[in-house]
Amino acid sequence: MTLEATDCLVKLYEEHHNLEDYQGGVPRWCTGCGDSGILTAVQRLCRDNDLAPERTVFVSGIGCSSRLPHYMKTYGFHGIHGRALPVAEGIKLARPDLDVFVSTGDGDCCSIGAAHWIHAIRYNMNMVVMLHDNHVYGLTKKQASPTSPLGFKSNTTPRGSTLLPLNPLTVTLGVQNVSFVAQAVDWIPELLYEILAAAYKHKGLSFVRILQRCPQYLPKMFDPWLQDPQKSLILTHDRGVRPSAGLAKIYRNQQEHDPSDINRAREIASLEDPIPVGILYQNPDVPRYEELRNAGQLRTADYIKAGLEAEFDKFTIWPDGHDAPAA
Amino acid sequence: MNEVLTSDRPKARAGEAASAKKVVTLDETVVEIISDSGEGAQRCGQSLGAIAAKSGNGVWTVEIIPAEIQPPARSVAGASGNRIRIGSHRITNGGDEADLVVAFNEQVLLGRVRAGELKPGCIILLESMWRTNRNAAIAESYVSTHDQLVKAGYRVYEVPLELECRKLVKDPRKGKNMFVLGMLCSIYSLDLELGREQIAIAFGKKDHKVIESNTALLEAGFAWAEANLDLKYEIPGVPVTAPRMVMNGNTALALGVLASGMDICAMYPITPATSASHYLSDCFEKVGGIVHQAEDEISACAFAVGASYASKCTVTITSGPGLSLKQEAIGLAVMAEIPLVVINVQRGGPSTGQPTKPEQGDLFAAMFGSHGDAPKIIMATSTIEDCFYSVITARKLAETFNMVVVILSDANLATAQQPFPRPTFSEDWLAPPLDQAPVPAGARPYDWDPVTGLKRRFIPGQPGGMYTLTGLAHDRDSHVAYDPAVNEESHRSRSLKLAAFQRTLKPPAVFGDTEGDLLVVGWGSTKGAIEEAVTRLRAEGRKVGSIHLQFIQPMASGIKEIMQRYKKVMTVENNWSDDPKDEIINEDNRRYGQLAFILRSRFLIDIDCWTEDRARPIKPGTIVAALRAKLAQ
Ligand SMILES: Cc1ncc(C[n+]2csc(CCOP(=O)(O)OP(=O)(O)O)c2C)c(N)n1
Ligand code: SF4
């Protein structure tokens, strides 16, 4: 066999993917919706890491943001409201070999699915969780969400919402076993991509809160941050992300932050003005549930049979003269 | 057998001990052992059941459990223990009232007397230490209860349990139960050697001292009864010729999970289902399986659906209120056609309801509990053996039809023990290996067969099969589709699968008369009691028969034809129905038992129901009375 032919074969079997290989149906989000930017970033991420579409699963709950799996050409699971995380955990425990991504909204994750959110952090299974945080219920047409700003006038709070918003970053950083927390914004695609790429590389549950514009119901919500780059604090580190030279010229409010420092991470997470953008916390050493549980073992029929017979023995009454097999 | 356990022991065997007592041969008997919780009556009862089973007897044990973990001592509602029905023949239920009761105090005994659980003239072996209690009120309560019971005709024997046990151990509270076991071995002429073996098994994990002191108590109890009681019975067993297993229904369910080849069980603790998961947690991981305790039932079910979607069929185990929480995810599995096995060990009521008590109350919830049209297979287990095989069947059906299969067991089966033939392993029980082959070009994720509604499931990892599962109405490509024709087509396909499966079902076997005056229809754990009642009535010359439904949805063909061969048809169920004799109840407002409701609507036959919801297993004698009343109408 000539060298060229071998090369050829390698080429033949080596899957190489283009962006189109990850592009599913035509997105049905409103014009200007921040979800589109998130979709573009994850499609790039899949291409750049050459993820096999058949070994990649995008899981979501219900909401505008949860439509994302439909626009990928991978496997997808568009499930029920609030339960994206348990579904993703089931997939990962059954199939640790699959790459799992989760898209969830602020209602989906922080309201109806709040219990699962806390526990997903504890399980720390290897997956990327993207919280598409638009501060509003989009799909159900403008109700207040747990992250809506105080005084937000919505269909269920016509005189303004009465509660202070919940901060998903501080909540997540308060949970035992947290291993990766970052914040991105849909309007800085470069950092959104870099942060998601770091999240993908992290082994454990990577929680990325993405501030996402909803021009339909909260058209002006993020204007102050769009208009004034100083209102975004870019977290930089060798083990985090660094803006390109061009971006750094616009976003000059930067701070070196070591993502292994959880106390500082918690302080940064509490900042309201400016808001942090970058990786707040990362600890690669937190054990992962699927590994703790030895998920994905090969179970042959003989193996199961041997275990089953041993259990049967414990309950068996043998006929007279017939002794139980040695335990 | 270990030397230490057998050397220098009195070799008391059936009939061996010097006793000239008259041995009365019984066909069967019902024994109860009751105490405050923590005094070990349950272990004593279970051991007695195991010894009898090993002696070749038919056995059924029923746990008597108070709802609280530590109810106050000596309280009427606090009885904890076991009922053991032992027979010369196969025993299928807990029977009627007890023939002999061992009580560790008079208060727990009173609870059983008031509940009508004792036969008139029942033998009572009563701990006598309370007679001389320093607390005058206690002593008085004991004496007056004792006297009342004697007056009421019970044969009361006072037994100095505490006193005798104190000769051997410091804390008799922990040892009385084995003394009692020894007494019962003497009374029922059971082989004491089997008792010793049972102790070795029960305390196997503890050190030798524990086994030795318990064995000494066992032997002392045996010797005491030989010397002091004039009670001697024999219930001849049939020699055991093939290996049998003795266990309760929850253990059988858990072993069924193991045997089905499923890899993952996702659950959240709830009584009475939990013990199945306890046992599974212990044995599943030894063969590479995983029990995942989720943060709640919603999560457990969603987790199971996710695991099933990406891999083999998964199981989730729960009881009533947990089933309610799982319903949304069950609906999703139905819509998306993901295989799933849901085991519901039924109990009574919401919140903590009657968590330790049986009820067949969740048939409607299983059938109609999810939103929208959610066709799924519903099966009910009726024996301990059935609990084992049902899980294997359910897994297979779930994967063949890409459906949700609900198995309904209940608190009665969960804790009852019964011997059954040891199953012979078959590779057919196991799920086939995961299909990871490329999907043929052009194949679609929901390519419904126009006749059967069946479709092939694509599993992540299969090249070319990529699709996004959705709970929204979808077309054959799994694309969200709202057009009316697509919506109807997908509904139709999911529904047809039930019909396709139904075509494979055989009509249920008729027990008793195949035509006549009355047909009884039952489901679940009442099978043994119903069939016993039918047998007794037939012995009186009545023309009655019964059928027991394993599949409630879909229902086999031929049931209507069977019903039409009888003058009357009635269900017997352990759930609520209105009594037609109640003042304001009439045909327009009467609520029927759940199976009766379903049968009436399916077959348009005037099917009656008799139900009891007394938070305990229905007794065959009670059913006999109900059937007689129906026959007399
Ligand atoms: C059990 C249940 N309750 C309520 C709903 C209705 N519902 C669908 S999406 C949604 C909220 C969506 O908001 P969010 O999660 O923030 O996502 P967004 O649409 O803003 O992306 C609600 C309440 C539902 N689908 N299921
Ligand atoms: S409603 Fe808001 S979140 Fe939903 S698609 Fe439109 S812009 Fe996006």
Side-chain angles (χ1 to χ4, degrees), chain A residues 43-116:
Chain A
Q43 285 169 340
R44 259 187 75 194
L45 173 83
C46 290
R47 181 202 56 192
D48 294 352
N49 288 279
D50 223 358
L51 299 189
E54 71 271 17
R55 312 192 75 78
T56 307
V57 188
F58 277 80
V59 183
S60 65
I62 296 291
C64 294
S65 41
S66 289
R67 286 295 183 101
L68 187 138
H70 286 284
Y71 311 137
M72 298 296 299
K73 219 191 270 175
T74 61
Y75 278 92
F77 192 115
H78 178 212
I80 43 180
H81 193 32
R83 321 301 170 198
L85 286 166
V87 167
E89 290 154 11
I91 293 171
K92 192 69 188 178
L93 196 80
R95 296 288 303 277
D97 58 307
L98 301 175
D99 277 316
V100 177
F101 293 81
V102 176
S103 278
T104 176
D106 39 307
D108 203 60
C109 177
C110 309
S111 193
I112 190 170
H116 311 315

Side-chain angles (χ1 to χ4, degrees), chain A residues 28-30 33-35 64 134 138-139 212-217:
Chain A
R28 299 264 178 90
W29 290 308
C30 307
C33 174
D35 286 332
C64 294
N134 59 1
L139 191 75
Q212 173 234 322
R213 286 168 294 176
C214 171
Q216 184 70 16
Y217 296 124

Side-chain angles (χ1 to χ4, degrees), chain B residues 511-587:
Chain B
F511 181 88
D513 289 307
T514 51
E515 55 176 47
D517 295 325
L518 177 61
L519 176 76
V520 183
V521 189
W523 62 286
S525 69
T526 49
K527 183 177 190 202
I530 290 175
E531 292 183 354
E532 190 168 330
V534 167
T535 305
R536 288 194 212 169
L537 281 172
R538 291 183 70 219
E540 294 175 7
R542 307 298 191 109
K543 300 282 281 175
V544 292
S546 67
I547 54 174
H548 216 75
L549 303 185
Q550 182 189 13
F551 288 98
I552 300 175
Q553 181 165 280
M555 231 178 253
S557 295
I559 293 174
K560 186 170 189 174
E561 290 67 29
I562 295 172
M563 293 201 272
Q564 284 167 337
R565 301 204 294 258
Y566 299 80
K567 292 199 187 107
K568 293 169 183 166
V569 181
M570 183 167 86
T571 67
V572 166
E573 304 178 58
N574 191 3
N575 55 29
W576 180 256
S577 67
D578 289 330
D579 183 348
K581 290 202 276 306
D582 268 352
E583 198 179 328
I584 60 166
I585 296 301
N586 57 39
E587 255 322 296

